[in-house]
Amino acid sequence: MPAYEAVIGLEVHVQLLTQSKIFCGCSTRFGAPPNSQTCPVCLGLPGALPVLNRHAVELGVKASLALDCKFASSRDSRGRIIFYPDLPKGYQISQYDQPVAEHGVLEVVVNGETNELASRDCI
């Protein structure tokens, strides 16, 4: 028996099929001219207040249910700032240590054998 067990983690992002972005009403249409789908919220301008896209939340909850995630009993609005030099405002505000749903499971069948892939955070 080896002294250590290899545990491989993956961070997977998905694109939800919404007509607008998650925190504003700007379009997500593919192939639009550069900088044509932006607003003060996208640009992170002072005084611009984001509004959460209800449909994006519904799709995230459906995905969490499909992955048999456990939902948090409460939600803290604190976030962390992740630096991205290619974003207009230079950073992304993300959930911190309290995801909406976590510990999901995805069953994968390979050569007739079922394996479970566990997730720490779903959304």
Side-chain angles (χ1 to χ4, degrees), residues 21-100:
K21 298 177 184 179
I22 193 163
F23 288 115
C24 71
C26 289
S27 173
T28 57
R29 187 173 47 94
F30 180 77
N35 302 317
S36 66
Q37 300 181 97
T38 60
C39 69
V41 173
C42 298
L43 298 172
L45 297 178
L49 298 175
V51 176
L52 188 58
N53 181 333
R54 180 183 180 98
H55 187 59
V57 173
E58 290 170 353
L59 291 174
V61 168
K62 285 181 181 181
S64 296
L65 289 170
L67 294 170
D68 198 26
C69 290
K70 310 302 180 255
F71 287 87
S73 59
S74 65
R75 178 77 175 106
D76 189 348
S77 61
R78 289 179 299 158
R80 66 179 174 188
I81 296 175
I82 303 170
F83 178 71
Y84 287 103
D86 59 336
L87 284 180
K89 61 186 176 184
Y91 63 90
Q92 169 188 336
I93 300 172
S94 178
Q95 65 191 19
Y96 186 56
D97 58 352
Q98 297 179 345
V100 174

Side-chain angles (χ1 to χ4, degrees), residues 101-118:
E102 60 187 345
H103 302 296
V105 175
L106 177 65
E107 290 186 352
V108 178
V109 179
V110 178
N111 296 329
E113 182 179 334
T114 301
N115 298 289
E116 285 189 351
L117 303 174

